[in-house]
Amino acid sequence: MDRNQSTLTYPEVNTTRSVPVDTKPVLSCPPVLCTAVLLTTWEVVLRDKPPCNRVYRGDTNETKGNCTDERITTWGSRPDKIPALQIDPVAITHDGYYKCEMVTPNGNFYHGYHLQVLVPPEVTLVQSKDGTAVCKAAAGKPAAQISWTPERACTTVQEPWGNGTVTVQSTCHWEGHHVQNVSCSVSHLTGNKSLTIQLNQGARTLGFPVSYFLIILCVKFSFFLVILVILGFIYFQRTNDCRA
């Protein structure tokens, strides 16, 4: 290669990647075929932290860098063959931007990742009082979405936490709507979840309709009248026998 020839710089490719917390994501460098890699650099820019880097030199087979997070590792035993970066395991604090730069005799290649760490929310569904249900998706990242069955206009609030997670709480009032079972559906990038609860609305939430109990009462009353008639008949019969 002519030393006077300027080094080619290929367009930088950036992708967005979402990974669940506590997994082991692997970020790959751009594919470079049929050429020697002189220098591979991973630049790591985390949220609220100064940038750091991990560097591998192909001519001296040396690895160096100033990233202090031991969970961010590179290349394994063959950095010249697999110039990838692994986070083992990934945490919320690893949200950020990761860029691989590869210097070759044919030019420089780049690949960047906007990494988003996902945290599944803890979902609960409780009844706070008669006819009121509260569905909570706690400490999820990003914020979850809550819907109800049957559908109803409910009050939903979000409470952000300092670590990037968000708690979402939805409160629905069903009193006076003759609803016994309600379901809360939580939608999240890590997966969806649905819970069902049986409401206790005091005297209205009987296991059977009121008309059913009226029928039972009428039957019992009729049976009581029959017994009285039979007892009266027996009494008069004995009275007539005594007179005879």
Side-chain angles (χ1 to χ4, degrees), residues 25-27 29 40-44 52-57 62-67 69-80 82-88 98-100:
V26 176
L27 307 180
C29 289
T40 301
T41 302
W42 273 101
E43 181 184 6
V44 180
C52 68
N53 60 67
R54 302 293 294 269
V55 181
Y56 170 75
R57 292 192 54 145
E62 293 179 343
T63 301
K64 61 180 181 179
N66 61 353
C67 292
D69 192 335
E70 296 182 354
R71 291 168 293 184
I72 301 177
T73 60
T74 51
W75 309 308
S77 59
R78 293 299 304 272
D80 55 330
I82 308 176
L85 181 142
Q86 183 181 53
I87 308 174
D88 182 13
Y98 300 76
K99 183 176 72 173
C100 175

Side-chain angles (χ1 to χ4, degrees), residues 3-228:
R3 293 184 180 181
N4 296 325
Q5 182 180 353
S6 60
T7 302
L8 295 177
T9 299
Y10 292 89
E12 182 174 333
V13 178
N14 287 286
T15 58
T16 300
R17 184 170 175 185
S18 300
V19 296
V21 67
D22 293 329
T23 57
K24 302 178 181 180
V26 176
L27 307 180
S28 301
C29 289
V32 178
L33 302 177
C34 302
T35 186
V37 178
L38 305 177
L39 187 71
T40 301
T41 302
W42 273 101
E43 181 184 6
V44 180
V45 183
L46 300 179
R47 183 182 56 194
D48 301 329
K49 291 185 178 181
C52 68
N53 60 67
R54 302 293 294 269
V55 181
Y56 170 75
R57 292 192 54 145
D59 55 347
T60 60
N61 196 27
E62 293 179 343
T63 301
K64 61 180 181 179
N66 61 353
C67 292
T68 58
D69 192 335
E70 296 182 354
R71 291 168 293 184
I72 301 177
T73 60
T74 51
W75 309 308
S77 59
R78 293 299 304 272
D80 55 330
K81 299 296 183 182
I82 308 176
L85 181 142
Q86 183 181 53
I87 308 174
D88 182 13
V90 68
I92 299 177
T93 54
H94 290 128
D95 264 359
Y97 180 68
Y98 300 76
K99 183 176 72 173
C100 175
E101 177 185 1
M102 304 182 73
V103 178
T104 75
N106 296 331
N108 298 348
F109 299 83
Y110 303 88
H111 195 146
Y113 295 88
H114 296 279
L115 189 68
Q116 179 186 27
V117 181
L118 307 178
V119 180
E122 181 180 354
V123 181
T124 57
L125 176 60
V126 297
Q127 178 174 325
S128 61
K129 58 183 180 179
D130 288 348
T132 301
V134 179
C135 183
K136 179 183 291 186
K141 182 177 177 294
Q145 294 183 342
I146 298 177
S147 59
W148 291 88
T149 303
E151 293 183 358
R152 181 144 178 82
C154 305
T155 302
T156 302
V157 295
Q158 293 188 4
E159 182 181 3
W161 299 91
N163 60 357
T165 62
V166 180
T167 294
V168 182
Q169 178 174 299
S170 181
T171 303
C172 272
H173 302 283
W174 305 94
E175 189 174 4
H177 289 79
H178 304 284
V179 176
Q180 290 187 347
N181 297 316
V182 297
S183 295
C184 159
S185 298
V186 176
S187 301
H188 195 260
L189 292 178
T190 59
N192 302 328
K193 189 173 185 179
S194 181
L195 297 178
T196 301
I197 192 173
Q198 183 175 6
L199 296 180
N200 178 17
Q201 299 185 11
R204 289 191 302 102
T205 56
L206 298 173
F208 303 95
V210 177
S211 58
Y212 182 83
F213 287 93
L214 291 177
I215 295 174
I216 293 178
L217 183 62
C218 291
V219 171
K220 289 183 176 181
F221 183 72
S222 301
F223 182 72
F224 179 71
L225 290 178
V226 171
I227 293 177
L228 287 179

